[in-house]
Amino acid sequence: MTAGTLSREDRVRLARAALARAEERTGARSVLPIGDRPEAPVVALVPAEADPVVTAGILTTERPPMAVPPALVPLLPEGLRRGATTVVSGSTSLVLTMLAHACAGGAWAAVVGQPTIGLLAAAQAGVSLDRLAVVPRPGLESPTVIAALLDGVDVVIVGPQVALTDADRRRLSARARDRGSVLLSTADWSGAGVVLTVQHGRWTGVDSGEGRLRTHEIRVARTGRGSAAVPQSLDLTLPLGAEPVAAPTAPLTGLRLVG
């Protein structure tokens, strides 16, 4: 398999192999009957402790970046660049909005080390749950689990409950560059290309102690390196011009329970 020739089916096979590897490392169990689980192919995955080795090279310059919601374009004019590391801190709603937009474009995603992200909230934000894997508490296997997911998943969100050293973070950023995946952290990540920080916010919708929270007004500040080196801020209202997704009335299917 040569660089830049991965088809959609190839990406699906790599994603399933990465999930199988993560399950093995974390003692995962599936909510699907054994007979209904897709069979993952045998793929050699290199542990994060080893030097990055390209097993299926991807030239990130040959693959377009993932689109972001139009309201975020002033802060992310290049979208979510494949192979880049981005930090989004201070708002789970903003993370889910960006993830929903990526999944709507056909991306596969995983959330590692952030048990506070709920599946119902993700579904209401528009995230395609059949394209989402969740590893709430990877523990000491964090580097290996994240590395495995970067091999076959388009967007990997890394939360604060991961056991990573600075050296691990450097290796994982390098692995994301090799694989053409988007590494999106919700905690500090040294060397990230773009850092989006929610400085303050205000909820609306509740009046005199009753009602529903409907919108979240936030100010997002951007810092980073390269084209993001010039600080910039933007006022946003979440959800970003999208109608809230109704809560599912039937049990969620096709999910993997990890940990």
Side-chain angles (χ1 to χ4, degrees):
M1 194 179 302
T2 59
T5 62
L6 286 178
S7 65
R8 181 178 180 278
E9 290 73 19
D10 294 331
R11 294 289 290 175
V12 170
R13 285 196 292 269
L14 284 174
R16 287 175 174 171
L19 295 180
R21 179 67 168 177
E23 287 185 342
E24 177 185 350
R25 286 286 183 175
T26 60
R29 54 193 182 278
S30 173
V31 298
L32 294 177
I34 296 297
D36 294 338
R37 296 178 62 186
E39 182 179 355
V42 178
V43 176
L45 300 175
V46 182
E49 292 79 2
D51 291 332
V53 176
V54 179
T55 56
I58 299 173
L59 294 179
T60 57
T61 56
E62 294 184 1
R63 304 183 65 203
M66 297 180 194
V68 296
L72 279 176
V73 170
L75 297 180
L76 298 171
E78 299 177 351
L80 288 175
R81 292 189 300 108
R82 295 180 183 273
T85 299
T86 301
V87 172
V88 180
S89 64
S91 175
T92 300
S93 298
L94 181 58
V95 172
L96 290 177
T97 298
M98 296 171 67
L99 185 59
H101 210 76
C103 288
W108 290 75
V111 180
V112 184
Q114 185 142 350
T116 56
I117 288 185
L119 294 178
L120 179 58
Q124 290 176 329
V127 177
S128 177
L129 296 185
D130 59 355
R131 292 178 175 272
L132 178 67
V134 178
V135 188
R137 297 177 179 84
L140 296 178
E141 297 291 347
S142 296
T144 304
V145 169
I146 297 170
L149 290 168
L150 287 171
D151 281 352
V153 179
D154 297 291
V155 183
V156 178
I157 296 176
V158 180
Q161 295 194 20
V162 292
L164 297 176
T165 65
D166 287 342
D168 290 331
R169 290 183 174 87
R170 288 193 296 271
R171 282 192 287 264
L172 290 170
S173 289
R175 197 180 193 91
R177 287 194 297 271
D178 287 338
R179 303 304 193 260
S181 300
V182 173
L183 199 162
L184 198 158
S185 176
T186 62
D188 291 342
W189 193 286
S190 178
V194 177
V195 178
L196 300 182
T197 305
V198 176
Q199 297 178 328
H200 57 78
R202 182 174 72 90
W203 287 92
T204 60
V206 176
D207 185 24
S208 300
E210 62 181 356
R212 297 179 59 189
L213 296 173
R214 297 186 180 278
T215 61
H216 190 194
E217 298 173 1
I218 61 175
R219 168 162 290 186
V220 184
R222 186 202 69 190
T223 56
R225 303 187 302 170
S227 60
V230 178
Q232 187 175 347
S233 61
L234 183 67
D235 292 326
L236 299 173
T237 299
L238 301 176
L240 296 177
E243 292 295 328
V245 179
T249 57
L252 301 176
T253 59
L255 305 177
R256 296 178 184 272
L257 178 62
V258 178

CSV table of all heavy atoms in Angstrom, one decimal, residues 190-240:
chain,number,residue,atom,x,y,z
A,190,SER,N,2.4,20.2,24.9
A,190,SER,CA,3.6,20.9,24.5
A,190,SER,C,3.9,20.7,23.0
A,190,SER,O,3.9,19.5,22.5
A,190,SER,CB,4.8,20.5,25.3
A,190,SER,OG,6.0,21.2,24.8
A,191,GLY,N,4.1,21.8,22.2
A,191,GLY,CA,4.4,21.6,20.8
A,191,GLY,C,3.2,21.6,19.9
A,191,GLY,O,3.3,21.5,18.7
A,192,ALA,N,2.0,21.8,20.4
A,192,ALA,CA,0.8,21.8,19.6
A,192,ALA,C,0.8,23.0,18.6
A,192,ALA,O,1.3,24.1,18.9
A,192,ALA,CB,-0.5,22.0,20.5
A,193,GLY,N,0.4,22.8,17.4
A,193,GLY,CA,0.4,23.8,16.4
A,193,GLY,C,-0.6,24.9,16.6
A,193,GLY,O,-0.3,26.1,16.3
A,194,VAL,N,-1.8,24.6,17.1
A,194,VAL,CA,-2.8,25.5,17.4
A,194,VAL,C,-3.4,25.2,18.7
A,194,VAL,O,-3.6,24.1,19.1
A,194,VAL,CB,-3.9,25.5,16.3
A,194,VAL,CG1,-5.1,26.4,16.7
A,194,VAL,CG2,-3.4,25.8,14.9
A,195,VAL,N,-3.6,26.3,19.5
A,195,VAL,CA,-4.3,26.2,20.8
A,195,VAL,C,-5.5,27.1,20.9
A,195,VAL,O,-5.4,28.3,20.7
A,195,VAL,CB,-3.3,26.6,22.0
A,195,VAL,CG1,-4.0,26.5,23.3
A,195,VAL,CG2,-2.0,25.7,22.0
A,196,LEU,N,-6.7,26.5,21.1
A,196,LEU,CA,-7.9,27.2,21.2
A,196,LEU,C,-8.3,27.2,22.7
A,196,LEU,O,-8.5,26.1,23.2
A,196,LEU,CB,-9.0,26.7,20.4
A,196,LEU,CG,-8.8,26.6,18.8
A,196,LEU,CD1,-10.0,26.1,18.1
A,196,LEU,CD2,-8.4,28.0,18.3
A,197,THR,N,-8.4,28.3,23.3
A,197,THR,CA,-8.7,28.4,24.8
A,197,THR,C,-10.0,29.2,24.9
A,197,THR,O,-10.1,30.3,24.5
A,197,THR,CB,-7.6,29.0,25.6
A,197,THR,OG1,-6.4,28.3,25.3
A,197,THR,CG2,-7.9,29.0,27.1
A,198,VAL,N,-11.0,28.6,25.6
A,198,VAL,CA,-12.3,29.3,25.9
A,198,VAL,C,-12.0,30.1,27.2
A,198,VAL,O,-11.8,29.5,28.2
A,198,VAL,CB,-13.4,28.3,26.1
A,198,VAL,CG1,-14.7,29.1,26.5
A,198,VAL,CG2,-13.7,27.5,24.8
A,199,GLN,N,-12.0,31.4,27.0
A,199,GLN,CA,-11.7,32.3,28.2
A,199,GLN,C,-12.8,32.5,29.1
A,199,GLN,O,-12.7,32.6,30.3
A,199,GLN,CB,-11.2,33.6,27.6
A,199,GLN,CG,-9.9,33.5,26.8
A,199,GLN,CD,-9.4,34.8,26.2
A,199,GLN,OE1,-10.3,35.7,25.9
A,199,GLN,NE2,-8.1,35.0,26.1
A,200,HIS,N,-14.0,32.6,28.6
A,200,HIS,CA,-15.2,32.8,29.5
A,200,HIS,C,-16.5,32.5,28.6
A,200,HIS,O,-16.4,32.5,27.4
A,200,HIS,CB,-15.3,34.2,30.1
A,200,HIS,CG,-15.3,35.3,29.1
A,200,HIS,ND1,-16.4,35.6,28.4
A,200,HIS,CD2,-14.3,36.2,28.7
A,200,HIS,CE1,-16.2,36.7,27.6
A,200,HIS,NE2,-14.9,37.0,27.7
A,201,GLY,N,-17.5,32.2,29.3
A,201,GLY,CA,-18.8,31.9,28.6
A,201,GLY,C,-20.0,32.3,29.4
A,201,GLY,O,-19.9,32.5,30.6
A,202,ARG,N,-21.1,32.3,28.8
A,202,ARG,CA,-22.4,32.6,29.4
A,202,ARG,C,-23.5,31.8,28.8
A,202,ARG,O,-23.7,31.8,27.6
A,202,ARG,CB,-22.7,34.1,29.3
A,202,ARG,CG,-24.0,34.5,30.0
A,202,ARG,CD,-24.2,36.0,29.9
A,202,ARG,NE,-24.5,36.5,28.6
A,202,ARG,CZ,-25.7,36.6,28.1
A,202,ARG,NH1,-26.8,36.3,28.9
A,202,ARG,NH2,-25.9,37.0,26.9
A,203,TRP,N,-24.3,31.1,29.6
A,203,TRP,CA,-25.4,30.3,29.2
A,203,TRP,C,-26.7,31.1,29.1
A,203,TRP,O,-26.9,32.0,30.0
A,203,TRP,CB,-25.6,29.1,30.1
A,203,TRP,CG,-24.6,28.0,29.9
A,203,TRP,CD1,-23.5,27.8,30.7
A,203,TRP,CD2,-24.6,26.9,29.0
A,203,TRP,NE1,-22.8,26.7,30.2
A,203,TRP,CE2,-23.4,26.1,29.2
A,203,TRP,CE3,-25.5,26.5,28.0
A,203,TRP,CZ2,-23.2,25.0,28.5
A,203,TRP,CZ3,-25.2,25.4,27.3
A,203,TRP,CH2,-24.1,24.6,27.5
A,204,THR,N,-27.5,30.8,28.2
A,204,THR,CA,-28.8,31.5,28.1
A,204,THR,C,-29.9,30.4,28.0
A,204,THR,O,-29.7,29.3,27.5
A,204,THR,CB,-28.9,32.5,26.9
A,204,THR,OG1,-28.7,31.7,25.7
A,204,THR,CG2,-27.9,33.6,27.0
A,205,GLY,N,-31.1,30.8,28.4
A,205,GLY,CA,-32.3,29.9,28.2
A,205,GLY,C,-33.0,29.7,29.5
A,205,GLY,O,-34.2,29.3,29.5
A,206,VAL,N,-32.3,29.9,30.7
A,206,VAL,CA,-33.0,29.7,32.0
A,206,VAL,C,-33.4,31.1,32.5
A,206,VAL,O,-32.7,32.0,32.5
A,206,VAL,CB,-32.0,29.1,33.0
A,206,VAL,CG1,-32.6,29.0,34.3
A,206,VAL,CG2,-31.6,27.7,32.5
A,207,ASP,N,-34.7,31.2,32.8
A,207,ASP,CA,-35.3,32.4,33.3
A,207,ASP,C,-36.0,32.2,34.6
A,207,ASP,O,-36.9,31.3,34.7
A,207,ASP,CB,-36.2,33.0,32.2
A,207,ASP,CG,-36.8,34.3,32.6
A,207,ASP,OD1,-36.1,35.0,33.4
A,207,ASP,OD2,-37.9,34.7,32.1
A,208,SER,N,-35.6,33.0,35.6
A,208,SER,CA,-36.3,32.9,37.0
A,208,SER,C,-36.2,31.5,37.5
A,208,SER,O,-37.2,31.0,38.1
A,208,SER,CB,-37.7,33.4,36.9
A,208,SER,OG,-37.8,34.7,36.4
A,209,GLY,N,-35.1,30.8,37.3
A,209,GLY,CA,-34.9,29.5,37.9
A,209,GLY,C,-35.6,28.3,37.2
A,209,GLY,O,-35.6,27.2,37.7
A,210,GLU,N,-36.1,28.6,36.0
A,210,GLU,CA,-36.7,27.5,35.2
A,210,GLU,C,-36.5,27.7,33.7
A,210,GLU,O,-36.1,28.7,33.3
A,210,GLU,CB,-38.2,27.4,35.5
A,210,GLU,CG,-39.0,28.7,35.1
A,210,GLU,CD,-40.5,28.6,35.3
A,210,GLU,OE1,-40.9,27.5,35.8
A,210,GLU,OE2,-41.2,29.5,35.1
A,211,GLY,N,-36.6,26.6,33.0
A,211,GLY,CA,-36.4,26.6,31.6
A,211,GLY,C,-35.2,25.6,31.2
A,211,GLY,O,-34.8,24.8,32.1
A,212,ARG,N,-34.7,25.7,30.0
A,212,ARG,CA,-33.7,24.9,29.5
A,212,ARG,C,-32.5,25.7,29.0
A,212,ARG,O,-32.7,26.8,28.4
A,212,ARG,CB,-34.2,24.0,28.4
A,212,ARG,CG,-35.3,23.0,28.8
A,212,ARG,CD,-35.8,22.2,27.6
A,212,ARG,NE,-34.7,21.4,27.0
A,212,ARG,CZ,-34.8,20.8,25.9
A,212,ARG,NH1,-35.9,20.8,25.2
A,212,ARG,NH2,-33.8,20.1,25.4
A,213,LEU,N,-31.3,25.2,29.3
A,213,LEU,CA,-30.1,25.8,28.7
A,213,LEU,C,-30.1,25.6,27.2
A,213,LEU,O,-30.1,24.4,26.7
A,213,LEU,CB,-28.8,25.2,29.3
A,213,LEU,CG,-28.7,25.5,30.8
A,213,LEU,CD1,-27.5,24.7,31.3
A,213,LEU,CD2,-28.5,27.0,31.1
A,214,ARG,N,-30.1,26.7,26.4
A,214,ARG,CA,-30.3,26.5,25.0
A,214,ARG,C,-29.0,27.0,24.2
A,214,ARG,O,-28.7,26.4,23.2
A,214,ARG,CB,-31.5,27.3,24.5
A,214,ARG,CG,-32.8,26.8,25.1
A,214,ARG,CD,-34.0,27.5,24.5
A,214,ARG,NE,-35.2,27.0,25.0
A,214,ARG,CZ,-35.8,25.9,24.6
A,214,ARG,NH1,-35.3,25.2,23.6
A,214,ARG,NH2,-36.9,25.5,25.2
A,215,THR,N,-28.4,28.0,24.6
A,215,THR,CA,-27.2,28.5,23.9
A,215,THR,C,-26.1,28.8,24.9
A,215,THR,O,-26.3,29.1,26.1
A,215,THR,CB,-27.5,29.8,23.1
A,215,THR,OG1,-27.9,30.8,24.0
A,215,THR,CG2,-28.6,29.5,22.1
A,216,HIS,N,-24.9,28.8,24.4
A,216,HIS,CA,-23.7,29.0,25.2
A,216,HIS,C,-22.8,30.0,24.5
A,216,HIS,O,-22.3,29.7,23.4
A,216,HIS,CB,-22.9,27.7,25.5
A,216,HIS,CG,-21.8,27.8,26.5
A,216,HIS,ND1,-20.9,26.9,26.7
A,216,HIS,CD2,-21.6,28.8,27.4
A,216,HIS,CE1,-20.0,27.3,27.7
A,216,HIS,NE2,-20.5,28.4,28.1
A,217,GLU,N,-22.7,31.2,25.0
A,217,GLU,CA,-21.9,32.3,24.4
A,217,GLU,C,-20.5,32.2,25.0
A,217,GLU,O,-20.3,32.3,26.2
A,217,GLU,CB,-22.5,33.7,24.7
A,217,GLU,CG,-23.9,33.8,24.1
A,217,GLU,CD,-24.6,35.1,24.5
A,217,GLU,OE1,-24.0,35.9,25.2
A,217,GLU,OE2,-25.8,35.3,24.1
A,218,ILE,N,-19.5,32.1,24.1
A,218,ILE,CA,-18.1,31.9,24.6
A,218,ILE,C,-17.2,32.8,23.8
A,218,ILE,O,-17.5,33.3,22.7
A,218,ILE,CB,-17.7,30.5,24.4
A,218,ILE,CG1,-17.7,30.0,23.0
A,218,ILE,CG2,-18.5,29.5,25.3
A,218,ILE,CD1,-17.1,28.6,22.7
A,219,ARG,N,-16.1,33.1,24.4
A,219,ARG,CA,-15.0,33.8,23.7
A,219,ARG,C,-13.8,32.8,23.6
A,219,ARG,O,-13.4,32.3,24.6
A,219,ARG,CB,-14.5,35.1,24.4
A,219,ARG,CG,-13.2,35.7,23.9
A,219,ARG,CD,-13.0,37.1,24.2
A,219,ARG,NE,-14.0,38.0,23.5
A,219,ARG,CZ,-13.9,39.3,23.6
A,219,ARG,NH1,-13.0,39.9,24.3
A,219,ARG,NH2,-14.8,40.0,22.9
A,220,VAL,N,-13.4,32.6,22.4
A,220,VAL,CA,-12.3,31.7,22.1
A,220,VAL,C,-11.1,32.4,21.7
A,220,VAL,O,-11.1,33.3,20.7
A,220,VAL,CB,-12.7,30.7,21.0
A,220,VAL,CG1,-11.6,29.6,20.8
A,220,VAL,CG2,-14.0,30.0,21.4
A,221,ALA,N,-9.9,32.2,22.3
A,221,ALA,CA,-8.7,32.8,22.0
A,221,ALA,C,-7.8,31.8,21.3
A,221,ALA,O,-7.7,30.6,21.7
A,221,ALA,CB,-8.0,33.3,23.2
A,222,ARG,N,-7.1,32.2,20.2
A,222,ARG,CA,-6.2,31.3,19.5
A,222,ARG,C,-4.8,31.7,19.6
A,222,ARG,O,-4.4,32.9,19.4
A,222,ARG,CB,-6.6,31.3,18.0
A,222,ARG,CG,-5.8,30.2,17.2
A,222,ARG,CD,-5.8,30.6,15.7
A,222,ARG,NE,-5.0,31.8,15.5
A,222,ARG,CZ,-4.9,32.4,14.3
A,222,ARG,NH1,-5.6,32.0,13.3
A,222,ARG,NH2,-4.2,33.5,14.1
A,223,THR,N,-3.9,30.8,20.0
A,223,THR,CA,-2.5,31.0,20.0
A,223,THR,C,-1.9,29.8,19.3
A,223,THR,O,-2.6,28.8,18.9
A,223,THR,CB,-1.9,31.1,21.4
A,223,THR,OG1,-2.3,30.0,22.2
A,223,THR,CG2,-2.5,32.4,22.1
A,224,GLY,N,-0.6,29.8,19.1
A,224,GLY,CA,0.1,28.6,18.5
A,224,GLY,C,1.3,29.0,17.8
A,224,GLY,O,2.0,29.9,18.2
A,225,ARG,N,1.6,28.2,16.8
A,225,ARG,CA,2.9,28.4,16.0
A,225,ARG,C,2.6,28.6,14.5
A,225,ARG,O,1.5,28.3,14.1
A,225,ARG,CB,3.8,27.2,16.2
A,225,ARG,CG,4.1,26.9,17.7
A,225,ARG,CD,5.2,25.7,17.8
A,225,ARG,NE,4.7,24.5,17.2
A,225,ARG,CZ,5.5,23.4,17.0
A,225,ARG,NH1,6.7,23.5,17.3
A,225,ARG,NH2,5.0,22.4,16.4
A,226,GLY,N,3.6,29.0,13.8
A,226,GLY,CA,3.4,29.2,12.4
A,226,GLY,C,2.3,30.2,12.1
A,226,GLY,O,2.4,31.3,12.6
A,227,SER,N,1.3,29.8,11.2
A,227,SER,CA,0.3,30.8,10.9
A,227,SER,C,-0.6,31.2,12.0
A,227,SER,O,-1.3,32.1,12.0
A,227,SER,CB,-0.6,30.2,9.7
A,227,SER,OG,-1.2,29.0,10.2
A,228,ALA,N,-0.6,30.4,13.1
A,228,ALA,CA,-1.4,30.6,14.3
A,228,ALA,C,-0.6,31.4,15.4
A,228,ALA,O,-1.1,31.6,16.5
A,228,ALA,CB,-1.9,29.3,14.9
A,229,ALA,N,0.6,31.9,15.0
A,229,ALA,CA,1.4,32.5,16.0
A,229,ALA,C,0.9,33.9,16.4
A,229,ALA,O,1.2,34.4,17.5
A,229,ALA,CB,2.8,32.7,15.5
A,230,VAL,N,0.1,34.6,15.6
A,230,VAL,CA,-0.5,35.8,15.9
A,230,VAL,C,-1.8,35.6,16.7
A,230,VAL,O,-2.7,35.0,16.2
A,230,VAL,CB,-0.9,36.6,14.6
A,230,VAL,CG1,-1.5,38.0,15.0
A,230,VAL,CG2,0.4,36.9,13.8
A,231,PRO,N,-1.8,36.0,18.0
A,231,PRO,CA,-3.0,35.8,18.8
A,231,PRO,C,-4.3,36.4,18.2
A,231,PRO,O,-4.2,37.5,17.6
A,231,PRO,CB,-2.7,36.4,20.1
A,231,PRO,CG,-1.2,36.5,20.1
A,231,PRO,CD,-0.8,36.7,18.7
A,232,GLN,N,-5.4,35.7,18.3
A,232,GLN,CA,-6.6,36.1,17.8
A,232,GLN,C,-7.8,35.6,18.7
A,232,GLN,O,-7.6,34.5,19.2
A,232,GLN,CB,-6.8,35.6,16.3
A,232,GLN,CG,-8.0,36.2,15.6
A,232,GLN,CD,-8.1,35.8,14.2
A,232,GLN,OE1,-7.1,35.3,13.6
A,232,GLN,NE2,-9.2,36.0,13.5
A,233,SER,N,-8.8,36.4,18.8
A,233,SER,CA,-10.0,35.9,19.6
A,233,SER,C,-11.3,36.1,18.8
A,233,SER,O,-11.3,36.9,17.9
A,233,SER,CB,-10.0,36.6,21.0
A,233,SER,OG,-10.2,38.0,20.7
A,234,LEU,N,-12.3,35.4,19.2
A,234,LEU,CA,-13.5,35.4,18.5
A,234,LEU,C,-14.7,35.0,19.5
A,234,LEU,O,-14.5,34.1,20.3
A,234,LEU,CB,-13.5,34.3,17.4
A,234,LEU,CG,-14.7,34.2,16.4
A,234,LEU,CD1,-14.8,35.5,15.6
A,234,LEU,CD2,-14.5,33.0,15.5
A,235,ASP,N,-15.8,35.8,19.3
A,235,ASP,CA,-17.0,35.5,20.1
A,235,ASP,C,-17.9,34.5,19.3
A,235,ASP,O,-18.2,34.8,18.2
A,235,ASP,CB,-17.7,36.7,20.5
A,235,ASP,CG,-17.0,37.6,21.4
A,235,ASP,OD1,-16.3,37.1,22.3
A,235,ASP,OD2,-17.1,38.9,21.3
A,236,LEU,N,-18.3,33.4,20.0
A,236,LEU,CA,-19.1,32.4,19.3
A,236,LEU,C,-20.4,32.1,20.2
A,236,LEU,O,-20.3,32.3,21.4
A,236,LEU,CB,-18.4,31.1,19.1
A,236,LEU,CG,-17.1,31.2,18.2
A,236,LEU,CD1,-16.4,29.8,18.3
A,236,LEU,CD2,-17.5,31.6,16.8
A,237,THR,N,-21.4,31.6,19.5
A,237,THR,CA,-22.6,31.1,20.3
A,237,THR,C,-22.8,29.7,19.9
A,237,THR,O,-23.0,29.4,18.7
A,237,THR,CB,-23.8,32.0,19.9
A,237,THR,OG1,-23.6,33.3,20.3
A,237,THR,CG2,-25.0,31.4,20.6
A,238,LEU,N,-22.7,28.8,20.8
A,238,LEU,CA,-23.0,27.4,20.6
A,238,LEU,C,-24.4,27.0,20.9
A,238,LEU,O,-25.0,27.6,21.9
A,238,LEU,CB,-22.1,26.5,21.5
A,238,LEU,CG,-20.6,26.8,21.3
A,238,LEU,CD1,-19.8,25.9,22.4
A,238,LEU,CD2,-20.1,26.4,19.9
A,239,PRO,N,-25.1,26.1,20.1
A,239,PRO,CA,-24.5,25.5,18.9
A,239,PRO,C,-24.3,26.4,17.8
A,239,PRO,O,-25.0,27.4,17.7
A,239,PRO,CB,-25.5,24.4,18.6
A,239,PRO,CG,-26.8,24.9,19.2
A,239,PRO,CD,-26.5,25.7,20.4
A,240,LEU,N,-23.3,26.1,16.9
A,240,LEU,CA,-22.9,27.1,15.9
A,240,LEU,C,-23.9,27.0,14.7
A,240,LEU,O,-23.6,26.4,13.7
A,240,LEU,CB,-21.5,26.7,15.4
A,240,LEU,CG,-20.4,26.9,16.4
A,240,LEU,CD1,-19.1,26.4,15.9
A,240,LEU,CD2,-20.3,28.3,16.9
